[in-house]
Amino acid sequence: MTLESSNPTSSRSPKMDANGERDVLTRLRTDIISSVFEPETRLKFADMKTRYNVGIGTLREALSQLSSEGFVTVEVGKGFRVAPVSAEELIEITDHFITLEKRALREAIEHGGEDWETNIVAVHHRLSLIEGLPWERRMERHSEWVERHREFHESLVAACKGKWLFRLRSLMFDQLDRYRFVTKRAPDGLGGKKSEEHCEIMNATVARDADLACELIEKHIRDTSDRAIRLL
Amino acid sequence: MTLESSNPTSSRSPKMDANGERDVLTRLRTDIISSVFEPETRLKFADMKTRYNVGIGTLREALSQLSSEGFVTVEVGKGFRVAPVSAEELIEITDHFITLEKRALREAIEHGGEDWETNIVAVHHRLSLIEGLPWERRMERHSEWVERHREFHESLVAACKGKWLFRLRSLMFDQLDRYRFVTKRAPDGLGGKKSEEHCEIMNATVARDADLACELIEKHIRDTSDRAIRLL
DNA sequence: AATACGATTATTTTCGAAAATATAGGAAAT
DNA sequence: ATTTCCTATATTTTCGAAAATAATCGTATT
């Protein structure tokens, strides 16, 4: 069995269309997360149609799903907008995410098997390849880093029993990602620190030290969120 | 200011279409919650189109939203199905809901004003009008009871600060509702007990006794869920 | 019998035209 | 100048036809 096939079912399947392009739902979500559209921006069908090269119906479907996920707001008869952001909301999302992530992590540590462990190490390695790069290179591949970072955190909790626990924590993670993005530009010099933290989290998790892993991950998330709050 | 206009913004707006009919998303969700379709049933567009008298695109939009909410599953190229149910999932949903509802209730008790209080009393009264009926009458108006019961629980936490807290707890409430429905037929004789519990919960909440209110509501939810688990 | 293949049917998915609705602009009335 | 009403424009929303895909069934081959 290859590592690839042992991958836990991901919350977001790749969903490539016939041409090998990511589908419009995924692309739109990525664009909102990475602030291609400012908060409150109207998402007109005419524009979106040309931008993503899909029909109106397909767009509506994607947009209404994103409204369920909280990325866009909808006012009947007046279309869709990118959801607003606020420091207050970031604080709340951070809080929920930490609670859920810690619960999920404990469950995963309790139930995870060898495949789960192995996957964590593999995914972490891919992440570290980018995090080890000098600042400029890292920035070039930022969108890739975002994806690897998401995969890493997901791999940690992939073995958690609760389906809804996983689902809710993933919902909150994606929301956090959007906020995390505002800190992208700041040339922190924290790259190294973050990379170290990821390593420590991985070690504690694989060593099945739930208390330590939870403590580390809480601090890790809280730190980055606090940074984002100050920049908001 | 009338009571009606002081109503807190509901998570689910009525969304009537031009003819005064509830929209397809709402109707479909209600039908799934109330087990009109068995779990795992395929939801074919041809059938749904005639049943709800809407176009295919509109249906797709509704169905993909319901998949975000967890009511239907989707397999690309093979359409939509009613999500499965299991005792295991019910246990998990109950657990999440209790956690969220208690947090939300504390926040609401802390921040709620006179409008919030008044609305609770009003909505509770409407609920009690049905719950006071003899068993047979109650069964006739069961779907109405479901709606009133939803409104009652929502009114309790309506003043909670956290938008996402409210959102997540509503998500879980709707899922619970689906499971709650399997207990409909059972002629329990618990109607009176439930009605009493609702009254006590209201009293504790309006009296701002957060500890008591949380204790009562936890017991209230746990009891009904346990009943449902046994019947599953 | 079992398998593989191709043709037929059933179903989903995509798309843009048409209907419904909201917005903007401009003339008339106060 | 402000409001009201009508017209023109812009935008959303709905719908079913057409394309793409999956399932079914019968026939041929081993």
Side-chain angles (χ1 to χ4, degrees):
Chain A
M1 179 166 61
T2 70
L3 259 180
E4 212 54 43
S5 74
S6 77
N7 252 342
T9 55
S10 169
S11 62
R12 279 209 230 131
S13 34
K15 273 179 192 162
M16 307 298 191
D17 80 358
N19 322 331
E21 269 192 9
R22 314 230 309 296
D23 75 0
V24 63
L25 172 61
T26 309
R27 292 216 289 151
L28 203 34
R29 180 166 36 213
T30 304
D31 285 347
I32 291 173
I33 288 178
S34 52
S35 284
V36 170
F37 309 110
E38 295 287 301
E40 313 269 17
T41 307
R42 281 198 58 186
L43 298 168
K44 298 190 208 176
F45 288 98
D47 302 345
M48 298 294 115
K49 207 164 93 72
T50 61
R51 181 176 228 278
Y52 296 105
N53 201 43
V54 292
I56 293 175
T58 310
L59 265 173
R60 259 196 90 78
E61 192 185 325
L63 284 168
S64 65
Q65 267 205 254
L66 290 173
S67 84
S68 288
E69 295 176 19
F71 286 114
V72 311
T73 59
V74 52
E75 212 174 341
V76 284
K78 297 169 75 176
F80 298 83
R81 293 173 171 277
V82 177
V85 296
S86 69
E88 198 185 353
E89 193 187 21
L90 171 52
I91 291 168
E92 197 200 349
I93 291 170
T94 303
D95 199 45
H96 289 309
F97 179 66
I98 287 175
T99 306
L100 294 165
E101 184 85 334
K102 281 163 71 181
R103 277 183 76 166
L105 189 52
R106 279 184 192 280
E107 280 194 14
I109 287 174
E110 187 174 347
H111 298 108
E114 294 184 354
D115 287 353
W116 166 71
E117 268 191 40
T118 308
N119 189 242
I120 292 174
V121 177
V123 170
H124 174 265
H125 183 70
R126 265 213 295 240
L127 175 64
S128 72
L129 287 178
I130 298 184
E131 290 188 329
L133 263 33
W135 183 76
E136 191 134 323
R137 289 258 167 284
R138 263 201 346 263
M139 285 303 100
E140 283 170 13
R141 298 170 67 180
H142 186 261
S143 66
E144 202 186 336
W145 177 84
V146 172
E147 184 59 17
R148 300 279 167 271
H149 185 251
R150 202 179 70 79
E151 281 173 6
F152 173 63
H153 273 274
E154 192 164 300
S155 77
L156 294 171
V157 300
C160 93
K161 265 282 183 315
K163 301 267 177 61
W164 279 99
L165 179 55
F166 187 81
R167 197 170 177 147
L168 295 179
R169 86 101 224 169
S170 296
L171 205 62
M172 291 297 97
F173 185 92
D174 288 346
Q175 290 297 323
L176 261 195
D177 237 10
R178 184 146 101 94
Y179 281 97
R180 230 189 301 272
F181 207 90
V182 306
T183 64
K184 173 196 171 183
R185 283 100 183 179
D188 41 29
L190 265 69
K193 179 162 162 277
K194 285 260 216 74
S195 181
E196 228 176 89
E197 285 177 4
H198 289 145
C199 203
E200 290 177 49
I201 290 166
M202 173 186 67
N203 288 333
T205 303
V206 172
R208 313 276 172 158
D209 187 340
D211 289 340
L212 178 59
C214 285
E215 188 191 315
L216 289 172
I217 215 162
E218 168 153 15
K219 194 167 147 25
H220 175 66
I221 297 157
R222 190 81 66 189
D223 280 358
T224 31
S225 272
D226 283 349
R227 253 182 68 76
I229 290 169
R230 281 194 296 276
L231 291 175
L232 219 61
Chain B
M1 179 164 61
T2 71
L3 258 180
E4 212 55 41
S5 75
S6 77
N7 251 343
T9 55
S10 168
S11 63
R12 279 210 230 131
S13 36
K15 275 180 190 161
M16 307 296 190
D17 81 357
N19 322 332
E21 268 191 11
R22 314 229 311 295
D23 75 0
V24 63
L25 172 60
T26 308
R27 293 216 288 150
L28 204 34
R29 179 165 39 212
T30 304
D31 285 346
I32 291 173
I33 288 179
S34 53
S35 286
V36 170
F37 308 112
E38 295 287 302
E40 312 269 18
T41 308
R42 280 197 59 186
L43 298 168
K44 297 190 207 175
F45 287 98
D47 303 345
M48 299 294 114
K49 206 163 93 72
T50 61
R51 180 176 229 279
Y52 296 106
N53 200 42
V54 293
I56 294 176
T58 311
L59 264 173
R60 260 197 89 79
E61 191 185 325
L63 285 167
S64 65
Q65 267 203 254
L66 290 174
S67 85
S68 288
E69 295 175 20
F71 286 113
V72 311
T73 59
V74 52
E75 211 174 341
V76 285
K78 296 169 76 176
F80 297 83
R81 291 173 171 277
V82 177
V85 296
S86 69
E88 199 186 352
E89 192 187 22
L90 171 52
I91 291 168
E92 197 200 348
I93 291 170
T94 303
D95 198 45
H96 290 308
F97 179 66
I98 286 175
T99 305
L100 294 165
E101 183 85 334
K102 281 163 72 180
R103 277 182 76 167
L105 188 52
R106 279 184 193 281
E107 280 193 16
I109 287 174
E110 187 174 349
H111 298 109
E114 295 185 352
D115 287 354
W116 166 72
E117 269 190 38
T118 308
N119 188 243
I120 291 173
V121 176
V123 169
H124 174 264
H125 183 71
R126 266 212 295 240
L127 175 63
S128 71
L129 286 177
I130 299 184
E131 290 189 329
L133 262 32
W135 183 76
E136 190 135 323
R137 289 258 166 285
R138 263 201 346 264
M139 285 303 101
E140 283 169 14
R141 298 170 67 181
H142 186 261
S143 67
E144 200 186 337
W145 177 85
V146 172
E147 185 60 17
R148 302 278 166 271
H149 185 251
R150 203 179 69 80
E151 282 173 7
F152 173 63
H153 274 274
E154 191 164 300
S155 78
L156 293 171
V157 299
C160 93
K161 266 282 183 314
K163 301 266 177 60
W164 278 99
L165 178 56
F166 187 81
R167 197 170 176 146
L168 295 179
R169 86 100 226 170
S170 296
L171 206 62
M172 291 298 98
F173 185 91
D174 289 345
Q175 290 297 323
L176 261 196
D177 237 11
R178 184 146 101 96
Y179 282 97
R180 230 188 300 273
F181 208 90
V182 306
T183 64
K184 176 197 170 184
R185 285 100 184 179
D188 41 29
L190 265 69
K193 179 162 163 277
K194 285 258 215 75
S195 181
E196 227 176 87
E197 285 177 5
H198 289 145
C199 203
E200 289 176 50
I201 290 167
M202 172 185 68
N203 289 334
T205 303
V206 173
R208 312 277 171 156
D209 187 341
D211 289 339
L212 178 58
C214 285
E215 189 191 315
L216 289 172
I217 215 162
E218 168 153 15
K219 195 167 146 25
H220 175 67
I221 298 158
R222 190 81 65 190
D223 280 359
T224 31
S225 272
D226 283 350
R227 253 182 68 76
I229 291 169
R230 280 194 297 275
L231 291 175
L232 219 61

